[in-house]
Amino acid sequence: LYMRYYFTSRLSASVSGRYAQSPLQEQSFYEGLILNNYRNLSQGFIDYQTGNSLSGNLNVSYRYPLKTFFANAGVMRSRTYSPRTANRYFLNEYLLNTYMPQENYSYIWMLNGSISKGVDFINGIISVRTMFSAFDGSMFQNGKEFPYTSNSWDITPKITSRPAKWLNIVYELTYSQNWLEMKNSDLRTSYKKYSQLLSCNITPSKSWYLQLTGEHYYNEITQDVSKHLFLADAEFTYSFKSGWEFNLSLKNIFNQNTYAYTIYDGLTAISREYRIRPRNVMVGVFFRF
């Protein structure tokens, strides 16, 4: 169900609600083991009961195009029901995911908002968007129930500016933090990460184009271990009147070789590390006709 109401030509609000029955999973038709990925196994069971989810949303938006001002805010509340509760065992190097015959309810609050304003003296737009979510639920681990709450918050300011006809600049910063609290223990963890992006597009004439991009990533792998990563690229293009085009690109200028981060899923924290392609130069020649 969805309804929108316009208080004025600029201010409007919408209300929506949703009810859905949860689909059956593949484990409901097979009692054996299912390999989900390189570290997770699922124990099948024969059970055709399904759960359901119920959610409601309220959103308010304000638009003033002549002043280049836009704002939006929303709140969402959802409840999920399952006739079973997830249970996880450690099986050598694998995680064995099963279910306990116990009803389970989980709840989520989600708040989001964004605002943007055109700024004349930078000939651009400044915007900020943010989101907060709070999860309250429980699961079993090795046959023991663990109720827990998991919260996350992120905010992203962004500036887009065109100080000259031949120059366009974009800067964006994203900061996020996650919290996990076990209700029946003293376990409380908090991790944060942020990333920055700076991009400059230079086009002094129709013949040539230069793009410079820099990125910075910060991740807390654990509470005492963090990692910074700097990436930078440059690309130059020159177009000849005859239809030929010359392109030169330089990737990973700082020659970074690894990228690591940590993700959180319920009671699980997984740290990952990837190898990055080393510094490389590419030259291209194109002909348009």
Side-chain angles (χ1 to χ4, degrees), residues 30-229:
Y30 176 64
E31 293 182 337
L33 294 176
I34 300 174
L35 181 63
N36 302 114
N37 54 46
Y38 75 98
R39 68 190 304 272
N40 282 276
L41 292 168
S42 293
Q43 176 70 58
F45 58 92
I46 304 299
D47 186 355
Y48 302 130
Q49 295 185 76
T50 61
N52 57 70
S53 62
L54 181 66
S55 65
N57 294 268
L58 171 64
N59 191 80
V60 179
S61 85
Y62 180 81
R63 302 176 180 179
Y64 196 169
L66 295 179
K67 298 291 186 179
T68 59
F69 179 80
F70 303 89
N72 183 80
V75 57
M76 185 272 287
R77 173 67 167 174
S78 71
R79 186 228 66 189
T80 302
Y81 162 76
S82 174
R84 299 168 295 275
T85 303
N87 183 30
R88 182 176 64 186
Y89 290 94
F90 294 98
L91 182 63
N92 297 324
E93 69 272 19
Y94 294 100
L95 292 175
L96 178 60
N97 299 281
T98 63
Y99 287 92
M100 301 289 288
Q102 175 178 311
E103 292 185 336
N104 180 267
Y105 290 88
S106 61
Y107 303 89
I108 296 177
W109 277 106
M110 186 174 294
L111 308 173
N112 66 83
S114 64
I115 186 171
S116 64
K117 179 69 175 70
V119 182
D120 292 336
F121 76 89
I122 67 169
N123 194 24
I125 297 176
I126 296 178
S127 65
V128 178
R129 65 179 186 271
T130 185
M131 184 177 70
F132 174 81
S133 65
F135 175 86
D136 189 348
S138 65
M139 68 174 295
F140 280 81
Q141 186 160 284
N142 295 327
K144 182 179 179 181
E145 186 176 13
F146 287 89
Y148 69 96
T149 60
S150 176
N151 302 329
S152 66
W153 174 69
D154 67 75
I155 184 170
T156 303
K158 181 179 180 180
I159 299 175
T160 302
S161 174
R162 192 171 186 179
K165 292 184 178 181
W166 50 270
L167 177 62
N168 186 75
I169 301 174
V170 177
Y171 173 75
E172 183 176 272
L173 168 68
T174 299
Y175 174 88
S176 62
Q177 189 163 3
N178 297 269
W179 299 268
L180 173 65
E181 180 179 354
M182 308 298 298
K183 295 182 179 180
N184 57 358
S185 70
D186 295 330
L187 177 60
R188 293 176 178 82
T189 60
S190 174
Y191 300 97
K192 60 179 178 291
K193 63 180 180 179
Y194 65 83
S195 62
Q196 300 180 82
L197 170 66
L198 177 62
S199 177
C200 297
N201 297 316
I202 304 173
T203 54
S205 69
K206 295 182 179 180
S207 299
W208 64 281
Y209 165 80
L210 176 65
Q211 182 182 53
L212 303 174
T213 304
E215 298 170 83
H216 170 225
Y217 297 91
Y218 170 84
N219 293 278
E220 279 189 336
I221 300 175
T222 65
Q223 288 185 326
D224 300 320
V225 179
S226 60
K227 185 176 180 64
H228 290 271
L229 179 70

Side-chain angles (χ1 to χ4, degrees), residues 270-283:
I270 303 174
S271 296
R272 296 180 176 177
E273 183 173 301
Y274 294 93
R275 299 286 296 179
I276 300 177
R277 184 179 181 182
R279 182 190 300 119
N280 62 93
V281 180
M282 181 177 292
V283 178

